[in-house]
Amino acid sequence: MLRKTRIILATIFFVGVTLLFLDFTGTLHAWLGWMAKVQLLPAVLALNFGVVAALLLLTLLFGRVYCSVICPLGVMQDIISWVHGKTKKKNRFRFSYSPAKKWLRYGVLVLFIIGLALGAHSIAILIAPYSAYGRIAANLFAPLYQWGNNLLAWAAERLDSYAFYSVDVWIRSASTFAVAVITFLAVGFLAWRHGRTWCNTICPVGTVLGLFSRFSLFAPVIDTEKCRNCGLCGKQCKASCIDMKEHKIDLSRCVVCMDCIDTCKEGAISYARRRGRSVPESRNEATNESRRAFLTTGALMVTTAAMKAQEMKVDGGLADIARAEKPERQTPIVPAGAVSLKNFTEHCTACQLCVSVCPNHVLRPSADLDTFMLPEMSYERGYCRPECNRCSQVCPAGAIRPVSIEEKSSVQTGHAVVNLDICVVNTDEVSCGNCARHCPAGAIRMVRKNPDDKESLMIPTVNEERCIGCGACENLCPARPLTAIHVEGHEVHRHI
Amino acid sequence: MNMEKNINRREFIQKAGGTALAVGGLGLIAGSGRRSAHAGEVQHPAQEMTYRTNKGNGDKVSILGYGCMRWPMIKDADDKDIIDQDAVNRLVDHAIEHGVNYFDTSPVYLQGQSETATGIALKRHPRESYFIATKLSNFSNHTRENSMLMYRKSFENLQTDYIDYYLLHSIGGGGVAAFNRRYVDNGMLDFLMEERKAGHIRNLGFSFHGDQESFDEFMKLHEKYHWDFVQIQLNYVDWTHAGGRNTNARYLQEELDKRGIQSVIMEPLLGGRLAKVPEHIADRLKERAPDKSVASWAFRFAGTHEGVLCVLSGMTYMEHLQDNLKTYSPLEPLTDKDLEFLEETAELMQKYPTVPCNDCKYCMPCPYGIDIPAILLHYNKCVNEGEIASSSQSENYKKARRAYLVSYDRAIPKLRQASRCIGCDTCVSHCPQNIDIPKQLHRIDRYIENLKRNTL
């Protein structure tokens, strides 16, 4: 019963969180967005004390339910391990007790905390479970989902239906994709062979929760009088935490999956209130509620484009159009709601949720070392459209804070810079003004190229005070390979 | 008005005559869908094609002329558009077999491939069994050398040593000044008159798009040049509701009648716009003639006027050809009542704010890669289907919004959409319908922006 309940809840959470990364229409986030927000590390980084306290209390009461139900990476491992167990009966009972690898667990945790504190994000977010799962879902699962959707769109088009529309499937960043693949293979391998090893050795969230769960009020308890020492419970424990000789369960590693309860034919294991032990005070060291210092501002290197300009398929009657190349930006652009680069990098867990939901193909993970895998904006495929604030709605970590559509139009995330040498007005001697025509802020003013000539062609200028950095101008500029207007980010966002 | 009951059932001395009865599988061609009927249902509409006599030289010209501007295209190995020659051969064979004998092409049609493809298909038939019309399309470069080259090349492409109907291509835009630059100052027109004398050109004329004033000028020049024929845009909308700077067809036809010049009709169907009409207009036409296609009304209208020598139709598909053969074999001229009815229909159509694009593709290729006709046609389709919302409060707003945005992305790749139009105006002078293309594209783009932002 308890096991079934756990499986049902885990399925709901796993499917829900996964759908957050798959659904590009933005409809599910209104309903399921909270599932990302109750993830531990994002909640900590968002300084969401309510959620953090609730999760710790949950753990103190019932053990590491979080790891079995809420954490999508944990559930993914359970699925992989379960599949292996299904292949042969022998494989289901492939586990055995092993003592906790304390030095590894706490060593990694210490490194993790130091990493966060020093702003060496790459290492910290590499092993954070929700971030790791987000990258896997966004890079490996989402493309499959989108291809499936495109197949339906293809069919719908032939049936003259508007039920489905097709979306571009593309790799936002090769390096982040590689990280996702490696993570998936590594975690997948461990889960296939050793069940929850990752969670009990590497995962910092697992280690922190373990510090609490060892004192949990409810826990699986072995009734030594009923136990006949058959050892079955230990052989199927994917956390390898049941020490049968001692009849002890290492509660810091137990993820309360309840598998052992169902396995024991004697009914010797039950999930019950432990007697004779009071709940000690929680140790606060690990929650890491203090803000991390951010030391690297200003040292942001210029990112090199992962994408190359791509040849368009040419119809005979149509001129070739090359895709625009990604310009070199002095300062990266982050979405409205990020407040500042500092705030953004301090909170972001690189889970890729915002990248997954960005309908305009603006957000993609950075390839730069300092901000590796953290999202940034670029406008070769679209621009940050004025009617959209999805990234700010989905961010669970407070890196992109909620911004209303109205507010967004007054947040300056960057400013446009014109390069008149490559503007088509000068190179092709034609009238253009496409940047000004599409500027939602009215920041681009067309002025006479030759002030003395009333009939003069008009060239674009930018009123930096009004520009919000949305990139409409850059995206719609006809100059190639580099556009004649591009956006530079602001380190600190301002309100007009 | 010229609405004499012209039933010119001349026998045409050609093998086609006998076989004209054998038109099989003729379509009940329905509305905008244009589907052919069941293959089994053999109809025998065709008695024989109606022919008109060229008063100048006695040519017996089929009232249905083949416009070679819209041959079917396929992709070659390099993904380039090329004409589907096999299909063209089939269409030409079928057309000639059923009495069509006038083929109108130009060196610039279909990315310059039309003349050659038409020539290949026609070469398979005796030269005296058809008339070839082509044009001096010296739009981009009107030097004498270039024009001469174009003229010579047409003979080569069409594999012929005489051209039956030769046209100065699309004059009127830019008025007499442009005409002088293209044909007079470079001596080309004098040269072509010599060629006419020599028999290399059997009839010399021009095609016209423009205002009344310049048409009057060209009519005055009749004394000097003696136009054997003139090609005009005539259909039941343009008859008295010509848009933009174009002249009402009624005026053009009457001026030609006065001078005894016969007309060849282009855009009788407005590039399909008179076949793909809004639903309730289609209902109206169907109600009056349930067994006739929507398009047939437009063709009968064009053929009804006695001064018309030939009506051109750019038939891409066999079903189009078959339907038109049915309409014109023989032509049943419209009655006064029918004409009144079509005038009312034209007035109703004015209420639909479509863009008068006939998909002739003269504007293409856009130097910045915009797919202009696709954007305009997509817009028109939505107008005709009632999928344009006037405001976000409209009843159909949500549905119209989704339909427009989804179908727009399907019809046109992002980089070729209206938002990319920079307004360089290169296309404007090319449009025979005088559409202010950048203005229309920007208008459509604004509409799309409003849909996207929900600010309509």
Side-chain angles (χ1 to χ4, degrees):
Chain A
M1 183 59 207
L2 284 168
R3 178 171 176 264
K4 275 194 185 138
T5 312
R6 186 266 300 176
I7 291 173
I8 290 167
L9 288 176
T11 309
I12 292 170
F13 265 93
F14 184 72
V15 171
V17 173
T18 307
L19 281 175
L20 288 181
F21 287 91
L22 302 185
D23 176 42
F24 48 82
T25 64
T27 32
L28 281 177
H29 295 97
W31 303 94
L32 303 179
W34 61 273
M35 287 190 173
K37 296 193 166 104
V38 299
Q39 302 291 328
L40 185 61
L41 185 65
V44 168
L45 293 176
L47 307 184
N48 206 340
F49 296 120
V51 169
V52 175
L55 290 176
L56 294 182
L57 190 65
L58 179 77
T59 312
L60 280 172
L61 286 174
F62 302 110
R64 282 168 63 181
V65 177
Y66 177 91
C67 302
S68 269
V69 172
I70 300 173
C71 175
L73 195 74
V75 179
M76 187 184 88
Q77 291 176 77
D78 282 354
I79 294 170
I80 293 171
S81 175
W82 174 77
V83 169
H84 190 195
K86 279 280 155 188
T87 54
K88 269 184 201 164
K89 197 164 182 189
K90 192 182 85 186
N91 290 337
R92 211 187 130 200
F93 299 99
R94 68 184 186 277
F95 305 103
S96 62
Y97 175 77
S98 62
K101 296 181 177 55
K102 285 191 177 151
W103 57 271
L104 185 58
R105 294 181 82 181
Y106 298 118
V108 172
L109 179 62
V110 167
L111 278 179
F112 178 78
I113 293 168
I114 291 173
L116 284 182
L118 295 182
H121 284 86
S122 317
I123 304 157
I125 55 188
L126 209 55
I127 53 172
Y130 166 71
S131 307
Y133 182 74
R135 283 190 295 274
I136 291 169
N139 282 284
L140 307 184
F141 301 162
L144 300 176
Y145 183 83
Q146 289 160 1
W147 277 322
N149 167 77
N150 288 356
L151 202 66
L152 290 174
W154 179 85
E157 189 173 348
R158 267 134 201 93
L159 296 171
D160 230 3
S161 150
Y162 300 120
F164 298 93
Y165 56 89
S166 95
V167 289
D168 281 358
V169 182
W170 59 293
I171 293 177
R172 268 79 175 165
S173 156
S175 43
T176 302
F177 180 79
V179 168
V181 171
I182 294 167
T183 310
F184 181 70
L185 291 178
V187 174
F189 172 79
L190 284 176
W192 184 266
R193 293 286 296 271
H194 309 295
R196 287 280 196 149
T197 305
W198 170 278
C199 308
N200 286 331
T201 49
I202 310 286
C203 179
V205 173
T207 308
V208 169
L209 291 178
L211 294 172
F212 292 85
S213 67
R214 60 171 65 208
F215 308 113
S216 71
L217 189 61
F218 289 89
V221 187
I222 301 172
D223 184 342
T224 44
E225 283 169 22
K226 284 186 185 166
C227 177
R228 294 175 56 193
N229 296 317
C230 70
L232 220 50
C233 53
K235 285 183 193 161
Q236 62 74 54
C237 176
K238 63 200 175 201
S240 304
C241 67
I242 304 180
D243 183 353
M244 274 133 12
K245 283 176 198 153
E246 302 283 329
H247 291 134
K248 267 189 186 161
I249 298 176
D250 178 355
L251 292 179
S252 80
R253 287 185 290 155
C254 171
V255 293
V256 285
C257 69
M258 321 289 184
D259 284 358
C260 51
I261 297 174
D262 276 22
T263 308
C264 182
K265 289 174 186 134
E266 310 303 324
I269 308 178
S270 59
Y271 185 67
R273 189 175 165 172
R274 289 187 293 159
R275 261 161 280 164
R277 297 200 74 156
S278 62
V279 177
E281 274 182 30
S282 66
R283 291 188 229 166
N284 248 344
E285 53 175 312
T287 50
N288 184 27
E289 280 152 15
S290 62
R291 299 277 196 94
R292 288 161 290 161
F294 180 70
L295 304 172
T296 47
T297 315
L300 295 164
M301 277 166 56
V302 173
T303 54
T304 46
M307 296 184 318
K308 282 261 163 64
Q310 177 188 312
E311 285 292 309
M312 283 284 300
K313 182 172 81 68
V314 190
D315 291 357
L318 295 164
D320 279 348
I321 320 171
R323 253 196 212 290
E325 268 176 29
K326 189 175 171 184
E328 297 189 355
R329 301 185 209 277
Q330 303 293 318
T331 311
I333 320 162
V334 290
V339 183
S340 65
L341 284 178
K342 181 170 182 289
N343 177 73
F344 183 73
T345 38
E346 274 179 359
H347 288 86
C348 179
T349 65
C351 73
Q352 312 298 320
L353 189 53
C354 56
V355 175
S356 300
V357 301
C358 178
N360 300 306
H361 304 283
V362 167
L363 283 166
R364 73 281 307 272
S366 163
D368 184 65
L369 264 188
D370 287 350
T371 53
F372 187 52
M373 298 191 299
L374 300 196
E376 61 180 16
M377 298 164 84
S378 200
Y379 303 125
E380 299 84 59
R381 288 173 175 258
Y383 62 94
C384 189
R385 290 199 47 91
E387 74 276 5
C388 176
N389 59 355
R390 278 197 213 163
C391 55
S392 85
Q393 286 175 326
V394 300
C395 180
I400 312 170
R401 296 185 187 162
V403 163
S404 71
I405 299 281
E406 293 74 22
E407 192 188 350
K408 175 186 168 176
S409 67
S410 66
V411 177
Q412 293 181 301
T413 58
H415 65 277
V417 181
V418 185
N419 179 354
L420 285 175
D421 292 341
I422 53 174
C423 174
V424 291
V425 177
N426 286 323
T427 56
D428 298 4
E429 304 217 322
V430 289
S431 72
C432 179
N434 214 32
C435 47
R437 197 175 302 117
H438 290 91
C439 177
I444 302 177
R445 307 293 299 172
M446 300 302 288
V447 300
R448 281 197 292 266
K449 187 177 161 187
N450 176 359
D452 302 329
D453 179 5
K454 276 192 179 161
E455 302 290 300
S456 169
L457 288 172
M458 309 287 268
I459 49 171
T461 58
V462 179
N463 178 351
E464 290 85 354
E465 293 310 308
R466 296 190 70 169
C467 178
I468 56 172
C470 72
C473 51
E474 181 179 325
N475 179 246
L476 295 169
C477 175
R480 292 292 184 275
L482 282 171
T483 57
I485 189 162
H486 80 279
V487 177
E488 282 296 345
H490 284 168
E491 289 180 7
V492 179
H493 293 179
R494 317 163 202 168
H495 277 77
I496 294 177
Chain B
M1 266 204 260
N2 315 297
M3 56 203 116
E4 179 215 35
K5 286 202 169 175
N6 182 347
I7 308 182
N8 194 352
R9 296 181 196 178
R10 300 281 316 233
E11 276 182 25
F12 188 59
I13 344 106
Q14 186 195 329
K15 55 175 180 160
T19 48
L21 286 167
V23 186
L26 263 196
L28 292 164
I29 291 175
S32 55
R34 304 222 103 202
R35 286 181 294 270
S36 67
H38 317 287
E41 233 174 84
V42 179
Q43 295 194 9
H44 297 281
Q47 299 178 21
E48 60 192 60
M49 175 68 68
T50 296
Y51 290 90
R52 294 273 164 86
T53 309
N54 179 337
K55 288 176 198 151
N57 63 7
D59 281 352
K60 300 288 183 283
V61 179
S62 61
I63 185 90
L64 177 59
Y66 218 122
C68 307
M69 192 175 82
R70 303 181 197 266
W71 288 131
M73 306 290 276
I74 47 172
K75 299 275 184 197
D76 72 356
D78 301 327
D79 213 32
K80 291 276 176 208
D81 293 317
I82 53 162
I83 293 178
D84 183 351
Q85 188 69 49
D86 290 342
V88 173
N89 292 352
R90 268 190 70 225
L91 290 165
V92 167
D93 293 352
H94 191 83
I96 289 184
E97 198 182 318
H98 293 87
V100 174
N101 67 1
Y102 189 99
F103 294 84
D104 172 270
T105 179
S106 150
V108 294
Y109 286 168
L110 294 167
Q111 300 161 48
Q113 303 173 40
S114 172
E115 273 190 347
T116 309
T118 309
I120 292 169
L122 288 175
K123 190 67 183 170
R124 296 149 58 254
H125 297 270
R127 179 65 182 88
E128 63 281 3
S129 66
Y130 53 82
F131 304 114
I132 293 179
T134 192
K135 315 187 178 78
L136 187 51
S137 317
N138 56 351
F139 296 109
S140 49
N141 177 343
H142 44 252
T143 60
R144 186 180 170 85
E145 296 97 301
N146 188 62
S147 308
M148 205 63 99
L149 216 62
M150 185 175 263
Y151 174 69
R152 301 270 181 236
K153 192 87 170 79
S154 289
F155 286 81
E156 204 179 295
N157 289 343
L158 289 158
Q159 308 183 54
T160 181
D161 43 19
Y162 65 93
I163 286 167
D164 301 281
Y165 292 81
Y166 199 71
L167 299 96
L168 311 180
H169 195 174
S170 190
I171 64 174
V176 180
F179 169 76
N180 285 340
R181 273 199 305 277
R182 282 175 63 193
Y183 300 111
V184 181
D185 301 345
N186 58 12
M188 278 312 289
L189 192 46
D190 289 334
F191 167 77
L192 292 175
M193 298 212 330
E194 287 304 312
E195 287 288 282
R196 176 165 65 180
K197 255 186 218 162
H200 298 139
I201 294 174
R202 296 182 57 240
N203 298 275
L204 185 59
F206 64 84
S207 63
F208 177 81
H209 293 284
D211 58 19
Q212 191 171 316
E213 203 179 319
S214 45
F215 192 71
D216 290 342
E217 293 291 330
F218 298 127
M219 285 297 96
K220 278 184 207 153
L221 290 171
H222 180 48
E223 284 168 32
K224 188 171 173 191
Y225 298 120
H226 184 77
W227 308 116
D228 297 304
F229 70 107
V230 170
Q231 188 161 311
I232 56 170
Q233 176 167 326
L234 181 150
N235 51 65
Y236 63 80
V237 171
D238 281 311
W239 189 246
T240 53
H241 305 282
R245 281 169 295 166
N246 281 350
T247 315
N248 283 339
R250 179 179 187 164
Y251 179 84
L252 302 178
Q253 188 60 50
E254 283 173 0
E255 288 300 302
L256 292 171
D257 287 344
K258 271 187 212 164
R259 294 167 177 82
I261 305 172
Q262 284 167 295
S263 61
V264 171
I265 303 307
M266 55 183 162
E267 302 293 0
L269 200 57
L270 286 175
R273 279 196 288 135
L274 297 185
K276 297 170 189 165
V277 293
E279 241 167 39
H280 84 268
I281 292 193
D283 290 351
R284 193 181 142 80
L285 296 168
K286 282 289 177 184
E287 213 162 68
R288 207 171 163 92
D291 57 336
K292 288 194 167 70
S293 67
V294 172
S296 72
W297 281 98
F299 285 105
R300 287 173 68 206
F301 180 87
T304 293
H305 308 281
E306 67 159 3
V308 170
L309 182 65
C310 177
V311 180
L312 299 177
S313 175
M315 298 164 282
T316 311
Y317 303 105
M318 185 60 87
E319 291 76 16
H320 295 167
L321 172 58
Q322 288 174 339
D323 187 44
N324 288 346
L325 288 170
K326 188 179 160 193
T327 305
Y328 281 143
S329 305
L331 161 70
E332 246 182 83
L334 297 175
T335 62
D336 284 358
K337 272 205 162 154
D338 290 334
L339 291 169
E340 238 170 72
F341 168 74
L342 283 185
E343 172 59 24
E344 282 165 23
T345 309
E347 277 164 19
L348 283 176
M349 290 190 60
Q350 296 299 301
K351 293 183 181 138
Y352 285 83
T354 50
V355 182
C357 169
N358 298 338
D359 195 23
C360 71
K361 300 194 169 66
Y362 285 18
C363 53
M364 299 292 284
C366 160
Y368 293 93
I370 319 295
D371 194 344
I372 299 166
I375 295 165
L376 299 181
L377 293 185
H378 172 263
Y379 178 78
N380 284 351
K381 181 168 171 278
C382 293
V383 170
N384 284 336
E385 290 174 358
E387 300 279 22
I388 303 287
S390 49
S391 94
S392 52
Q393 304 307 312
S394 320
E395 209 178 302
N396 67 339
Y397 174 73
K398 270 185 107 166
K399 184 171 163 279
R401 177 177 187 269
R402 185 170 179 93
Y404 200 99
L405 294 178
V406 173
S407 58
Y408 185 63
D409 280 353
R410 282 179 187 169
I412 305 121
K414 282 228 158 56
L415 286 173
R416 305 197 182 282
Q417 293 181 350
S419 60
R420 302 272 161 180
C421 169
I422 68 167
C424 70
D425 285 359
T426 308
C427 51
V428 174
S429 64
H430 297 159
C431 179
Q433 305 305 323
N434 292 313
I435 302 169
D436 188 339
I437 295 169
K439 196 172 148 197
Q440 292 293 340
L441 292 182
H442 292 159
R443 181 175 70 87
I444 292 171
D445 185 39
R446 269 199 307 278
Y447 174 69
I448 293 164
E449 265 308 301
N450 281 328
L451 285 184
K452 285 186 176 170
R453 295 192 199 178
N454 274 318
T455 49
L456 197 66

